Amino acid sequence: MADAAQNMVKDDVTGEMMSKNALKKLQKKRAADAKKAEKKAAAEAKAAAEGPKKKSSMASAEADDQLEPHQYFANRCAAMQRQQVASEEGKGVSPWPHKFQTTHTLPEYVAAFSGLADGARDDSTTVSIAGRAMRKAGQGKLIFYDLHGGGAKVQIMS
């Protein structure tokens, strides 16, 4: 017991008696806290000097998270409508851009290849078409897709 009392050290800040290891740990924690507070104060001073920041896309995303679902849907529809109108007027980018080059639209494809018999193949021609996949159906190893676009429908077998 006397041995334990000899290994005790007095903390200069609080005046508490504690072991050397506990004192070292406490001093390290105090130094880290002081460094963290200094860093935070410097960041706040820098932010105050720069003035208010512009809204970032992340801030608007956070604002969208706070909206009710029907409000978000209405805002999103209005934004898409504005983009679509600007695209049609030639002032903006299409809200639904193609990610690849197409050779035919679906109505052009139907008109060009409607003369082929059902199940016939034309291996001499390569085409690239795009549409919305509205249905996927499996039949054994075969998969059938229905593509819709421009008022036309094409069934693809893979």
Side-chain angles (χ1 to χ4, degrees):
M1 193 73 159
D3 229 7
Q6 286 178 347
N7 289 336
M8 300 298 269
V9 183
K10 185 177 180 180
D11 182 15
D12 295 334
V13 177
T14 61
E16 258 184 273
M17 295 299 286
M18 58 180 67
S19 69
K20 287 182 183 179
N21 285 342
L23 181 62
K24 277 186 178 180
K25 198 182 258 187
L26 185 61
Q27 288 172 339
K28 280 185 180 180
K29 185 180 180 315
R30 286 180 184 151
D33 289 345
K35 192 173 184 180
K36 195 181 287 185
E38 182 180 309
K39 191 174 183 180
K40 185 177 178 183
E44 288 174 356
K46 182 180 177 186
E50 289 177 356
K53 289 186 175 182
K54 294 180 181 175
K55 269 191 168 180
S56 67
S57 61
M58 189 66 151
S60 65
E62 288 173 8
D64 285 344
D65 289 342
Q66 304 302 321
L67 293 176
E68 293 293 321
H70 68 279
Q71 291 172 322
Y72 174 81
F73 180 75
N75 289 351
R76 183 74 177 142
C77 287
M80 295 304 283
Q81 185 66 30
R82 285 191 303 270
Q83 248 185 342
Q84 182 68 28
V85 169
S87 172
E88 290 170 356
E89 294 173 353
K91 298 178 183 175
V93 182
S94 172
W96 302 281
H98 285 290
K99 301 286 184 202
F100 55 91
Q101 189 65 34
T102 59
T103 58
H104 296 77
T105 64
L106 288 183
E108 291 170 354
Y109 177 82
V110 169
F113 295 99
S114 62
L116 287 176
D118 288 347
R121 294 174 56 126
D122 183 6
D123 292 333
S124 63
T125 308
T126 303
V127 297
S128 175
I129 58 175
R132 183 177 295 257
M134 297 296 283
R135 187 176 75 95
K136 175 184 173 185
Q139 182 68 31
K141 291 184 180 181
L142 296 177
I143 299 175
F144 297 93
Y145 298 93
D146 283 351
L147 281 185
H148 291 250
K153 175 188 147 195
V154 175
Q155 187 178 64
I156 298 174
M157 177 182 72
S158 67

